[in-house]
């Protein structure tokens, strides 16, 4: 595939302090841009990262046709570059696009675009366990027209941001009992831009009470645990691990499905089923709720220290050995080419 | 208030065929832009309409922080310019912003910005019943950062598009029984960009069956009628008019609330209450369902010719005199300064 490359004259990498990165604030030298017009994807181009021009009437600004993915590139000690299950990301990107009446992107543009972009910006992928290059492929509607209908023009773009081992600080969560994230028959399963903006206000209310995130419950009854803002959620009761099944409200997380597989591989008792909030509260009261953690590309596995539901609050116990750190290590060992990869999840680019 | 104005050198108005306008495709010579940064709205500027630069990492592209309004400017035979209930639009814009964790816009910037912009582009507002200038005020998140949290920077923009009397062709609708538009506790009541993209795919499925729009039902049970994609919905059973109450799933339409008031003023029996889909089907079967129409700024009142719910289809009767045309005329007479305006809805700018 033919990708035209326009390189930067001077890299800005020297100006970046890689030991002190805020997530998603610094971008690499290059980005990939591919336009869709007249029913076709044109040839992608790699150009210097920088501002782009859009009409103020571009549909993305008005009707929210925008979907994205979140991935990471990892480097091993030999300097080889790896992605984790990129086939799942392009499938999910296209599933998100379909739900928003946006055109599917040919898988080849995705894979080949990532490859060439990563090789060009390879210096930005630092070696060392925990360092990575966060990749943000996204598609937005660019047609300058404000009638409420799908766009005829789109852009697929990949931007890249160097990331360090992600530590979000101590995370405590509120279990939603009023606001909700997604409706049955809605777009909750898609990585659609609008799903995120709608969480910011309820999350800001949680912040005021000293909680960092929200575990969303089903919008109908608020009786069932679903997922967090950018993470799927796992509960450990005794030695059993439980996570909610995916449905049209819940994002089918790649980290989640990998953890489910790893649990099976390692004879950890895992149940994928509906989880009542009341069940978790009872397990907490009986001292049987041992762990609560989120899973997602950014943090891999994020232990949750405590939760609040209505007037009930609970602090998770401090354990010597946790499922959270077990899975985090297993996953990172695969991602950084430090262990065997029996499922073929690691892809060298 | 100080608004810096940079005028176009030559207007492009001569190139526009005002007798043949597609909705929302042509924009006037100027637009208003006002930036929010460091916790404050800066002075607005009026500049030539045209492409703007944005970082590809601008949060609006990733997390959908984007809200908008839809209004019209009307000209009477004397050449005076009027808006319809602009105070309601700025209130609703700020309510939408609050739900998406975006800053409120000072009302003065909205009102004074509109005024100066409309006087500058006054030639674009054509006289004649039905002609108007469609106004699109909107706010988008511009901060170049892709962590999933609210933006620190925003732009408020007003673009304007000349419009003719809106005739959407014959409209038939599908009553939703699987997909949904909004969740309880969600953002359905906000004019949030993401609410629109999520409707395009289900609407495209309706198109394939020969229907133009969808009447959304409640996501929990699909038993209650809510609203359409860009219109609130009214049902006439016998001589009684019914519309659903607003709630956190339904947009509080300005046309809707004006029709409710006009119905009261004109002794038309109006009920604002939950409406079961089964009630409407039964009324249709008994021949008591006389009218079905949508209300919204673009079309004012849009009669609906027929509907489908599951395997039930129904064609509305052709009536000599309809509530739809009664309200449309009443509203337009107020908007175009042709009748008295007892409620003070018409505002001269
Ligand atoms: C809503 C939501 N849930 C869960 C996840 C986790 O998905 P993944 O493991 O594929 O990163 C994400 C993505 O980061 C997300 O945005
Ligand atoms: C979802 C939705 N419902 C209803 C309406 C009608 O509202 P208004 O009468 O204020 O234009 C609109 C706006 O056009 C809308 O977007």
């Amino acid at each position: 595939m033919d990708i035209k490359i326009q390189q930067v004259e001077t890299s800005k990498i020297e100006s970046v302090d890689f030991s002190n990165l805020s997530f998603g604030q610094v971008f690499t030298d290059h980005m990939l841009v591919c336009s869709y017009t007249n029913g076709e994807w044109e040839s992608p181009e790699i150009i210097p990262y920088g501002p782009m021009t859009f009409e103020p009437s571009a549909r993305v600004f008005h009707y929210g046709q925008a979907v994205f993915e979140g991935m990471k590139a990892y480097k091993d000690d030999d300097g080889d570059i790896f992605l984790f299950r990129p086939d799942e990301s392009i499938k999910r990107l296209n599933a998100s696009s379909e739900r928003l009446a946006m055109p599917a992107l040919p898988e080849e543009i995705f894979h080949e675009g990532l490859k060439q972009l990563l090789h060009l910006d390879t210096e930005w992928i630092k070696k060392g366990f925990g360092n990575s290059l966060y990749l943000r492929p996204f598609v937005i509607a660019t047609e300058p027209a404000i009638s409420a209908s799908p766009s005829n023009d789109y852009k697929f773009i990949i931007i890249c941001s160097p990331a360090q081992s992600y530590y979000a600080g101590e995370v405590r969560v509120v279990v939603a009992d009023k606001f909700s994230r997604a409706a049955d028959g809605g777009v909750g399963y898609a990585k659609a831009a609008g799903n995120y903006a709608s969480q910011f206000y309820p999350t800001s209310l949680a912040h005021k009470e000293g909680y960092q995130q929200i575990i969303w419950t089903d919008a109908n009854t608020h009786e069932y645990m679903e997922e967090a803002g950018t993470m799927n959620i796992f509960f450990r009761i005794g030695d059993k691990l439980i996570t909610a099944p995916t449905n049209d409200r819940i994002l089918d997380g790649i980290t989640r499905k990998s953890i489910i597989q790893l649990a099976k591989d390692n004879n950890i008792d895992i149940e994928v089923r509906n989880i009542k909030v009341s069940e978790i509260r009872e397990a907490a009261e009986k001292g049987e709720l041992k762990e609560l953690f989120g899973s997602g590309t950014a943090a891999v596995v994020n232990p949750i220290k405590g939760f609040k539901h209505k007037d009930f609050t609970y602090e998770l116990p401090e354990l010597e050995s946790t499922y959270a750190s077990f899975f985090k290590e297993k996953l990172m060992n695969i991602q950084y080419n430090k262990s065997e990869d029996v499922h073929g999840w690691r892809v060298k680019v």
Side-chain angles (χ1 to χ4, degrees), chain A:
Chain A
M1 201 179 56
D2 193 34
I3 300 184
K4 217 171 83 196
I5 297 180
Q6 181 197 332
Q7 285 204 33
V8 292
E9 295 191 359
T10 9
S11 171
K12 64 187 175 219
I13 197 168
E14 294 306 332
S15 68
V16 175
D17 179 359
F18 281 83
S19 65
N20 190 18
L21 294 166
S22 294
F23 184 80
Q25 308 256 0
V26 169
F27 300 92
T28 61
D29 288 324
H30 299 93
M31 62 184 178
L32 181 120
V33 179
C34 184
S35 299
Y36 178 93
T37 190
N38 297 321
E40 273 181 34
W41 289 98
E42 300 179 347
S43 294
E45 287 184 8
I46 292 175
I47 58 175
Y49 173 91
M52 300 172 70
T53 59
F54 297 91
E55 298 262 342
S57 53
R59 290 188 194 272
V60 62
F61 297 133
H62 303 271
Y63 303 124
Q65 272 189 302
V67 298
F68 69 96
E69 276 297 313
M71 309 167 70
K72 281 179 175 174
Y74 312 92
K75 214 171 232 179
D76 71 2
D77 294 336
D78 295 338
D80 286 328
I81 305 169
F82 300 92
L83 294 172
F84 186 69
R85 308 186 78 172
D87 47 324
E88 295 284 341
S89 289
I90 176 62
K91 267 197 277 173
R92 191 169 63 186
L93 184 73
N94 282 338
S96 298
S97 287
E98 183 181 17
R99 182 61 182 82
L100 266 60
M102 299 165 67
L105 181 80
E107 301 200 357
E108 198 199 352
I109 292 179
F110 185 84
H111 291 302
E112 188 63 23
L114 275 172
K115 183 175 167 175
Q116 298 207 21
L117 186 57
L118 290 175
H119 281 283
L120 194 61
D121 281 344
T122 181
E123 289 306 320
W124 293 80
I125 316 172
K126 296 297 178 194
K127 289 180 188 172
F129 211 53
N131 294 327
S132 66
L133 188 64
Y134 182 80
L135 310 173
R136 172 53 60 88
F138 63 108
V139 186
I140 51 178
T142 54
E143 189 188 9
I146 55 168
S147 51
S149 53
S151 183
N152 289 304
D153 304 332
Y154 296 89
K155 279 199 197 302
F156 168 63
I157 302 172
I158 308 174
I159 57 178
C160 314
S161 177
Q164 286 171 277
S165 191
Y166 190 92
Y167 177 64
E170 295 206 340
V171 174
R172 288 179 177 75
V173 296
V174 174
V175 178
D177 69 341
K178 178 172 158 238
F179 289 107
S180 53
R181 179 186 172 276
D184 280 323
V187 301
Y189 72 89
K191 270 182 99 80
N195 288 340
Y196 297 81
S198 61
Q199 300 183 57
F200 293 163
Y201 174 71
T203 305
S204 75
L205 298 180
H207 287 172
K208 285 189 190 145
E209 296 188 88
Y211 295 83
Q212 288 69 44
Q213 298 207 26
I214 292 175
I215 296 183
W216 297 104
T217 50
D218 67 298
N220 293 6
T221 66
H222 296 293
E223 280 180 20
Y224 293 91
M225 300 282 197
E226 303 220 306
E227 62 165 325
T230 56
M231 304 190 296
N232 297 106
I233 295 289
F234 288 81
F235 301 87
R236 176 180 172 184
I237 298 182
D239 283 338
K240 180 187 296 172
L241 200 57
I242 323 174
T243 191
T246 54
N247 56 35
D248 63 6
R249 299 183 304 270
I250 300 184
L251 192 88
D252 187 4
I254 296 167
T255 319
R256 171 186 173 279
K257 71 171 71 163
S258 304
I259 288 175
I260 293 170
Q261 183 62 50
L262 288 176
K264 289 177 184 159
D265 294 352
N266 289 278
N267 296 314
I268 291 174
D269 190 6
I270 169 105
E271 289 181 5
V272 179
R273 62 163 170 85
N274 292 328
I275 305 163
K276 279 209 155 191
V277 178
S278 58
E279 175 186 359
I280 298 303
R281 282 180 58 157
E282 278 161 32
E285 277 167 345
K286 288 194 206 144
E288 291 168 3
L289 182 68
K290 294 204 188 161
E291 281 185 70
L292 177 48
F293 60 85
S295 71
T297 295
V300 192
V301 173
N302 203 336
I304 294 168
K305 291 273 179 185
F307 75 90
K308 174 178 192 288
H309 176 249
K310 296 183 177 168
D311 52 5
F312 179 84
T313 59
Y314 186 73
E315 285 282 308
L316 275 294
E318 299 271 351
L319 302 184
E320 291 262 307
S321 99
T322 63
Y323 283 171
S325 51
F326 175 80
F327 288 118
K328 183 161 186 170
E329 204 188 315
K330 283 264 177 222
L331 280 168
M332 289 180 68
N333 280 334
I334 297 172
Q335 290 164 343
Y336 287 83
N337 194 24
K338 284 185 177 299
S339 69
E340 245 209 295
D341 171 30
V342 292
H343 299 290
W345 292 339
R346 183 170 61 218
V347 176
K348 189 172 155 181
V349 292

